[in-house]
Amino acid sequence: MHREVGSVVEQKAQRPTAARQRRAAAREAILTATREVIAETGFPDAQVSVIAHRAGVAVGSIYQHFPSRAELFAEMYRQVAGHEYDVVKQAAADGGSASERIATAVRTFCTRALRAGRFAHTLLVEPTEPAVDEHRLAFREGYRRLFARLITDGIAEGELPTQDAEISSAAVLGIMTETLVRPLGETGPMKQPEKLVRQVVQLSLAAIGATSSPRA
């Protein structure tokens, strides 16, 4: 009798966990489908019905996880952009001088963006809902702060000339992103992407007055 009661209690305790796991799996499937559809169509043409079909759920199920299409897109953006930021930040923390770490961060960002192609163009500049734009601005500020810290380190170490790190970091961010907009927006295979990455790295280092020449 005691064993039966214990079994019932255990089953009841497991049910909420199983339900949460199913809900988490469905949510992740929706976000994955959203990422795939937006990569194919861009933000304006991404339809919730298509996302639902791709995720294997009903349209109504999407709204059980996300209050609106805008919130769904914003969460997808936050997830993808957050991962990319973490990769760049980790690359910049791998050692070397400040200019070497800046070169590595810029190189990593550009290489990954060019690999993503049109999807990166969509994430960087394509008009979309204000909720997505809020995340876009927040991540741009995150990159700017990252470069400001690296530039400040370079100044303190005597490697970089005295300068306003806030202004210089904004310049590096602008070079790193704006030079990619046109190439990422083009159709067809990109010619000499490695050359473009080298140029962006060199321009970024010149903007902060780096006298050394880290491998581009």
Side-chain angles (χ1 to χ4, degrees):
M1 179 67 178
H2 290 297
R3 185 175 300 173
E4 292 178 0
V5 171
S7 177
V8 171
V9 171
E10 183 178 336
Q11 289 176 5
K12 288 183 178 180
Q14 289 175 345
R15 284 172 192 164
T17 300
R20 285 194 295 269
Q21 290 175 340
R22 288 194 298 272
R23 181 174 177 81
R27 187 176 190 276
E28 191 56 38
I30 291 167
L31 286 169
T32 298
T34 303
R35 185 164 60 248
E36 292 173 354
V37 171
I38 289 176
E40 295 167 5
T41 69
F43 281 116
D45 295 327
Q47 301 297 318
V48 173
S49 58
V50 175
I51 293 170
H53 178 75
R54 182 76 60 92
V57 301
V59 171
S61 297
I62 289 182
Y63 294 110
Q64 292 177 3
H65 294 271
F66 304 95
S68 66
R69 178 177 182 268
E71 290 299 320
L72 169 60
F73 287 3
E75 177 58 20
M76 183 282 301
Y77 185 97
R78 187 197 64 77
Q79 191 179 76
V80 173
H83 173 71
E84 293 302 313
Y85 175 78
D86 288 343
V87 170
V88 173
K89 184 179 179 181
Q90 181 58 50
D94 283 344
S97 66
S99 58
E100 287 171 338
R101 285 181 284 152
I102 290 170
T104 298
V106 173
R107 186 184 307 113
T108 301
F109 179 93
C110 293
T111 300
R112 293 179 65 84
L114 292 174
R115 191 180 302 150
R118 292 283 297 180
F119 185 43
H121 182 272
T122 294
L123 297 178
L124 279 173
V125 297
E126 189 171 84
T128 183
E129 284 81 357
V132 174
D133 281 333
E134 289 179 9
H135 287 305
R136 184 179 280 161
L137 291 173
F139 279 107
R140 286 181 68 91
E141 178 61 15
Y143 282 110
R144 191 200 62 74
R145 288 197 301 268
L146 172 62
F147 286 116
R149 288 194 298 270
L150 293 172
I151 293 168
T152 299
D153 289 346
I155 296 170
E157 295 163 5
E159 179 196 353
L160 299 177
T162 301
Q163 57 195 288
D164 187 324
E166 299 297 316
I167 295 175
S168 296
S169 63
V172 172
L173 179 61
I175 292 168
M176 186 176 75
T177 56
E178 295 304 321
T179 53
L180 296 181
V181 171
R182 182 181 59 79
L184 289 174
E186 293 176 348
T187 57
M190 185 178 300
K191 297 180 180 178
Q192 298 182 307
E194 298 85 2
K195 181 179 179 181
L196 174 58
V197 173
R198 285 196 300 271
Q199 289 179 322
V200 175
V201 172
Q202 290 165 359
L203 286 169
S204 299
L205 293 175
I208 60 174
T211 56
S212 60
S213 300
R215 181 180 63 84

